[in-house]
Amino acid sequence: MKIKQSMAVAGYNFRQWHKNSRIILTFFLSFILCFLLSDKAVQFAEKYDTTMQILEPFIWTFGDSNSILLSSLMLLLLFADMPFISSGTPFYLVRIDRKTWLLGQSLYIVAATFIYLVFVLLSTSFICMRQSFVGNMWSETAAILGYSGIGQTVALPAFVKTLEMSTPYKCTAAIFMLMLLYTLMLASVMLLFRLRSGQLGGMISVLAFSLYGFLLNPQTLQTILGLRDYQRYQANVAVGWLSPLNHATYHMHNFGYDLLPRIWQTCLFFVICIVLLFYLSFRAVRKFNFHFTGTEA
């Protein structure tokens, strides 16, 4: 019964998407972001007159931590009304308890985040579809980028170990899962602090969480601290474990010859953190003060 009630709450939130200018703007800006981030891959293929596997722009774009960070910040706009108090909230709260209501909000967050990332994946594929193929093999463009080192020159993270140890579909699934777990963790942080500290607290928590991930970056640390090569490797391993953003970055994982976390360890880390954050949110909602003005929150 409570599951049905929670799903009804989540469904009500999705119905608010109809002709919602904020939701439309979120997906519009996400498409623009995908275009700006993946356009250099399309231009590279056009320059060398080569084709691409249709998922490769997504892999090259979101194999980079900065691209993941930028796309995840769109959640600030998508979930701007968190914890999603609307004119229908009072009617739900007189029929169900707070935990059931929050469970519905949690289901909505998971589903909306998944839809958002599917849109991002489809957008990058759409941008390059004129010169791409769907076969599960790496393209000539990927080979040029990976083995010649040109990818680093044009800031496309096509790493040799990715080409040698995976296939486009398998690699895409891993990157999508890492992005999903990272963005869910970001959303759960935002939800917890919105319930505890209000809208300003939720906004500050997300910005602090994102800034923490940005600063704990091997390149950033090397620039700030002037690290030597062996120190850079040590810093690379340390931030690979300590930074959620680096956990979400595909190439920042152990593929058999270093001390970085493995994919399954990262997934376990994210799941534990997300479950803990949602648990704390369920405790916080008991003391949350609902404020209604007329029929609107």
Side-chain angles (χ1 to χ4, degrees):
M1 182 65 179
K2 288 189 176 182
I3 294 297
K4 287 186 177 180
Q5 292 173 337
S6 299
M7 293 180 66
V9 172
Y12 177 81
N13 287 342
F14 276 115
R15 288 196 293 274
Q16 303 305 303
W17 284 24
H18 181 63
K19 296 183 179 180
N20 188 319
S21 58
R22 177 174 51 80
I23 301 300
I24 295 172
L25 180 62
T26 299
F27 284 94
F28 175 75
L29 291 177
S30 297
F31 181 82
I32 297 299
L33 178 64
C34 290
F35 175 79
L36 293 175
L37 292 175
S38 59
D39 185 57
K40 55 189 174 184
V42 177
Q43 291 182 359
F44 181 88
E46 290 177 347
K47 177 180 178 181
Y48 286 88
D49 194 25
T50 56
T51 59
M52 295 180 290
Q53 208 281 339
I54 196 166
L55 297 177
E56 284 178 353
F58 176 81
I59 295 170
W60 301 334
T61 300
F62 295 103
D64 177 70
S65 60
N66 291 330
S67 298
I68 296 172
L69 179 61
L70 289 173
S71 65
S72 67
L73 288 177
M74 289 294 174
L75 292 178
L76 288 174
L77 188 56
L78 184 63
F79 296 147
D81 55 343
M82 187 183 285
F84 317 114
I85 301 174
S86 65
S87 58
T89 303
F91 300 99
Y92 280 105
L93 290 176
V94 298
R95 292 170 174 81
I96 61 178
D97 58 70
R98 292 185 174 208
K99 290 185 178 181
T100 303
W101 175 81
L102 187 60
L103 178 59
Q105 309 296 0
S106 303
L107 293 175
Y108 167 73
I109 290 171
V110 174
T113 303
F114 180 82
I115 291 171
Y116 168 74
L117 290 180
V118 168
F119 177 81
V120 169
L121 173 60
L122 294 177
S123 295
T124 55
S125 299
F126 175 79
I127 291 169
C128 73
M129 64 184 304
R130 289 188 301 174
Q131 52 191 120
S132 62
F133 60 91
V134 297
N136 192 22
M137 62 181 69
W138 298 109
S139 68
E140 183 182 359
T141 306
I144 295 173
L145 289 171
Y147 289 101
S148 68
I150 298 177
Q152 298 301 318
T153 304
V154 296
L156 288 172
F159 295 92
V160 174
K161 60 185 177 184
T162 300
L163 302 179
E164 293 179 343
M165 304 183 67
S166 186
T167 60
Y169 286 104
K170 182 180 178 181
C171 187
T172 298
I175 292 175
F176 185 90
M177 178 60 67
L178 293 173
M179 288 183 65
L180 177 63
L181 292 172
Y182 175 77
T183 49
L184 283 177
M185 184 175 177
L186 180 68
S188 59
V189 168
M190 186 177 180
L191 175 62
L192 174 61
F193 281 88
R194 280 284 178 91
L195 292 173
R196 287 185 174 273
S197 308
Q199 290 190 345
L200 180 60
M203 186 70 67
I204 292 175
S205 69
V206 171
L207 294 177
F209 182 83
S210 300
L211 181 62
Y212 171 76
F214 175 75
L215 292 177
L216 277 187
N217 181 286
Q219 288 75 27
T220 303
L221 290 177
Q222 184 182 32
T223 302
I224 296 175
L225 303 177
L227 301 178
R228 299 178 180 178
D229 289 342
Y230 74 93
Q231 293 174 321
R232 182 180 179 183
Y233 173 75
Q234 293 174 333
N236 189 68
V237 173
V239 301
W241 285 96
L242 296 174
S243 169
L245 182 58
N246 282 292
H247 272 288
T249 307
Y250 182 74
H251 72 88
M252 290 292 291
H253 286 87
N254 185 343
F255 292 92
Y257 49 83
D258 54 33
L259 300 176
L260 290 168
R262 295 185 180 273
I263 296 289
W264 71 267
Q265 292 173 323
T266 283
C267 292
L268 181 62
F269 164 78
F270 276 129
V271 169
I272 291 174
C273 290
I274 292 168
V275 171
L276 177 61
L277 288 165
F278 276 123
Y279 170 75
L280 294 175
S281 296
F282 276 92
R283 291 181 61 87
V285 76
R286 295 183 300 181
K287 299 180 179 180
F288 180 72
N289 293 319
F290 291 89
H291 297 285
F292 303 102
T293 304
T295 58
E296 296 296 331

